[in-house]
Amino acid sequence: GAVVSQHPSRVICKSGTSVKIECRSLDFQATTMFWYRQFPKKSLMLMATSNEGSKATYEQGVEKDKFLINHASLTLSTLTVTSAHPEDSSFYICSASRSGRGRFSEQFFGPGTRLTVL
Amino acid sequence: KQEVTQIPAALSVPEGENLVLNCSFTDSAIYNLQWFRQDPGKGLTSLLLIQSSQREQTSGRLNASLDKSSGRSTLYIAASQPGDSATYLCAVRRGTGNQFYFGTGTSLTVIP
């Protein structure tokens, strides 16, 4: 149990286009999902916290108009990178906490999405 | 702001050796600490989760300890194997909220 999937696993796009990344909790409901970004040989940086049915909470320095987050259901959150540029190229990872298991329950991570912007 | 540091940044050991990875954090007001494994180009695999009230957790050849007051955690790997080669990340969750702060990772290579 507690599997989180991401789609796509890899995406290459042209500069100026928008890319949507999906994060799904396959066998549990997740009230809260998290989006992280990882640069090569660096650690993960939290970008935003996605709450089902409400607006996402963005970390300082993250452009909310550039990284659109939607958490429309208890099993799906999406991250859309709008007007992508080469500097947006990165590894994006989502995680999810089970609903009803307490506010600080264990997080389960997706396999990540490698975005390359040409 | 919480800062998490991992030492060493890279480690190479012969197969069969026991080894210790270190994680330190600046703010002791944590709720829990989690150790992860990340293979190249892949996501994270959770290894061990230690609640702030616990001192250690064990799973197979892995043992993680937590000294919250000193801001330290260690991950002990016994009888290392080539399959253990990966980057190991520690992450702490602060006392309020769900945010994780990740360390910079230790890249482990186990030589056959």
Side-chain angles (χ1 to χ4, degrees), chain B:
Chain B
K1 180 186 174 183
Q2 177 75 271
E3 292 187 6
V4 183
T5 306
Q6 289 185 245
I7 295 173
L11 182 62
S12 183
V13 300
E15 181 177 2
E17 265 200 17
N18 303 324
L19 56 101
V20 175
L21 308 181
N22 297 290
C23 172
S24 61
F25 45 95
T26 55
D27 187 349
S28 61
I30 65 168
Y31 185 78
N32 59 33
L33 182 146
Q34 202 161 347
W35 281 93
F36 296 90
R37 168 186 174 140
Q38 185 176 30
D39 292 287
K42 304 291 184 182
L44 304 181
T45 300
S46 178
L47 298 174
L48 290 165
L49 170 67
I50 310 177
Q51 300 295 348
S52 63
S53 58
Q54 298 175 322
R55 298 285 291 181
E56 66 177 334
Q57 283 285 338
T58 298
S59 176
R61 293 183 294 109
L62 305 179
N63 175 276
S65 68
L66 174 64
D67 184 343
K68 199 173 86 164
S69 61
S70 67
R72 294 180 186 175
S73 176
T74 62
L75 178 66
Y76 175 82
I77 302 177
S80 59
Q81 302 171 358
D84 295 331
S85 298
T87 295
Y88 291 80
L89 295 165
C90 71
V92 298
R93 182 180 285 178
R94 64 185 184 189
T96 55
N98 271 302
Q99 181 174 355
F100 264 122
Y101 292 91
F102 279 86
T104 49
T106 294
S107 176
L108 172 65
T109 302
V110 180
I111 304 167

Side-chain angles (χ1 to χ4, degrees), chain A residues 9-115:
Chain A
S9 57
R10 289 179 176 271
V11 58
I12 300 173
C13 69
K14 292 182 179 180
S15 185
T17 61
S18 294
V19 175
K20 180 184 285 188
I21 303 170
E22 293 185 347
C23 176
R24 292 181 185 272
S25 55
L26 298 185
D27 50 1
F28 66 99
Q29 293 185 328
T31 307
T32 305
M33 291 184 174
F34 306 86
W35 287 96
Y36 295 85
R37 181 174 180 175
Q38 186 177 34
F39 292 98
K41 298 188 178 180
K42 299 289 185 181
S43 193
L44 281 74
M45 298 295 294
L46 179 67
M47 297 175 65
T49 303
S50 169
N51 300 295
E52 188 267 336
S54 65
K55 291 183 179 180
T57 303
Y58 290 81
E59 295 301 304
Q60 190 173 8
V62 178
E63 299 177 59
K64 58 182 67 176
D65 293 331
K66 180 165 188 62
F67 299 99
L68 300 179
I69 291 173
N70 183 274
H71 195 154
S73 77
L74 286 172
T75 59
L76 173 64
S77 176
T78 60
L79 168 67
T80 301
V81 183
T82 62
S83 186
H85 290 282
E87 58 264 30
D88 298 325
S89 299
S90 192
F91 194 56
Y92 294 87
I93 301 179
C94 71
S95 71
S97 292
R98 292 184 201 252
S99 299
R101 290 291 184 97
R103 191 175 178 205
F104 304 111
S105 62
E106 186 175 359
Q107 288 188 23
F108 301 93
F109 285 78
T113 296
R114 171 74 60 192
L115 170 63

